[in-house]
């Protein structure tokens, strides 16, 4: 589906009059990466997954930054008329959600920060430079997103991932436009919302994977201690793509949190 202004493509399920549950994918993802979750929770919520700007059918931004992506998220929410949504942000989607919460602290009912980080360090940091070089170097040398997709996905996952989920993960990664992948990688550098974690005043779930090297579980557990009303859940054996690696475990953890929010609202 496409929003009224034509800028955003998205997938949705459930009753349009229900509480909006909005899923925000990561750098290698797409709206369709959330299809199981849209189906699982569509009975109770209006489940929605966007194609991030520059992905799928969504128009790219003129200039990409986490702040610009957070503004785009607000425009997307307004286009849908989605009041008091629950946001589920994975990886960069979780960074966008954190930035959005600073700008619009009272607009969401709850937030799930899945396998994400409150910071990506210094713009001039050696680790950040080597991270970007490792991710973009193969493209500079003539590889394509399609040729890199199998190895990129393999690096991201933990133990015994679901074969169908892995097929979908590779398909999503292969279809990411190279320009968008490059722009999103560069947008990470210098991201830092650590000082605003204490201001998150809505129910919050931090969801990690014990084998996640991109958003390590100990870092996420520590992050949870800075958010006043946070719950922390770690999925054993799971890498960076929990909803595709272990969709049932992901859905169970998300479902428990949604039940607690529903009771409290």
């Amino acid at each position: 589906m496409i929003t009224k202004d034509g800028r955003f493509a998205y997938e949705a399920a459930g009753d349009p009059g229900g509480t909006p549950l909005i899923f925000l994918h990561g750098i290698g993802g797409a709206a369709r990466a959330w299809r199981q979750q849209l189906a699982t929770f569509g009975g109770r919520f209006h489940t929605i997954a966007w194609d991030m700007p520059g992905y799928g059918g969504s128009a790219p931004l003129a200039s990409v930054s986490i702040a610009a992506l957070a503004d785009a998220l607000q425009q997307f929410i307004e286009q849908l008329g989605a009041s008091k949504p629950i946001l589920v942000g994975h990886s960069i989607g979780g960074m966008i959600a954190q930035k959005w919460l600073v700008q619009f602290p009272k607009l969401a009912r709850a937030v799930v920060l899945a396998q994400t980080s409150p910071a990506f360090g210094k713009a001039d940091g050696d680790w950040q430079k080597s991270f970007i070089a490792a991710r973009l170097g193969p493209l500079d040398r003539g590889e394509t997103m399609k040729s890199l997709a199998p190895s990129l996905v393999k690096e991201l996952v933990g133990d015994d991932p679901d074969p169908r989920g892995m097929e979908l993960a590779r398909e999503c990664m292969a279809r990411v436009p190279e320009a968008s992948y490059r722009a999103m990688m560069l947008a990470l550098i210098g991201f830092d919302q650590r000082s605003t974690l204490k201001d998150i005043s809505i129910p919050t779930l931090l969801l990690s994977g014990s084998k996640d090297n991109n958003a390590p579980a100990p870092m996420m557990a520590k992050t949870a201690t800075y958010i006043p009303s946070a719950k922390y859940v770690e999925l054993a054996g799971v890498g960076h793509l929990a909803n595709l690696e272990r969709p049932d475990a992901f859905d169970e953890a998300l479902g428990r949190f949604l039940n607690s929010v529903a009771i409290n609202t």
Side-chain angles (χ1 to χ4, degrees), residues 41-80:
F41 297 102
R44 287 179 55 206
F45 298 91
H46 183 207
T47 50
I48 300 153
W50 77 344
D51 279 326
M52 188 161 51
Y55 285 64
S58 292
L61 299 173
S63 176
V64 178
S65 67
I66 303 292
L69 290 161
D71 286 338
L73 173 59
Q74 178 57 18
Q75 288 153 16
F76 175 68
I77 289 169
E78 288 172 0
Q79 282 287 310
L80 293 175

Side-chain angles (χ1 to χ4, degrees), residues 115 150-162 165-166 169-170 211-214 237-242 244-246:
Q115 307 184 281
S151 61
L152 285 173
V153 169
K154 191 175 181 188
E155 282 171 24
L156 290 172
V157 301
D159 304 332
D160 303 319
D162 177 74
M166 292 306 87
R170 289 189 292 270
K211 296 285 184 83
D212 188 346
N213 296 321
N214 284 39
V238 174
H240 191 58
L241 303 177
L244 294 169
E245 292 178 55
R246 302 276 182 88

Side-chain angles (χ1 to χ4, degrees), residues 98-223:
Q98 290 173 66
K99 186 64 119 176
W100 180 87
L101 284 169
V102 174
Q103 294 165 288
F104 308 99
K106 302 292 184 208
L107 291 193
R109 194 175 304 242
V111 65
V112 178
L113 302 175
Q115 307 184 281
T116 189
S117 169
F120 196 79
K122 303 181 292 291
D124 56 354
D126 290 338
W127 184 87
Q128 287 76 15
K129 285 178 179 169
S130 62
F131 177 91
I132 299 298
R135 295 299 189 276
L136 300 186
L139 294 171
D140 295 337
R141 295 190 289 273
E143 296 272 9
T144 64
M145 290 305 296
K146 189 172 183 182
S147 70
L148 288 172
S151 61
L152 285 173
V153 169
K154 191 175 181 188
E155 282 171 24
L156 290 172
V157 301
D159 304 332
D160 303 319
D162 177 74
R164 283 178 306 178
M166 292 306 87
E167 194 176 330
L168 182 52
R170 289 189 292 270
E171 178 195 323
C172 289
M173 186 74 80
R175 289 198 197 173
V176 176
E178 182 180 327
S180 296
Y181 186 81
R182 287 177 176 274
M184 294 297 168
M185 280 289 170
L186 296 173
L188 294 175
I189 297 181
F191 173 77
D192 191 346
Q193 290 301 138
R194 286 174 294 189
S195 66
T196 60
L197 294 172
K198 67 183 186 310
D199 302 322
I200 298 176
S201 59
I202 55 175
T204 304
L205 172 66
L206 278 84
L207 187 59
S208 75
S210 70
K211 296 285 184 83
D212 188 346
N213 296 321
N214 284 39
M219 177 276 296
M220 289 207 69
K222 185 180 175 188
T223 300

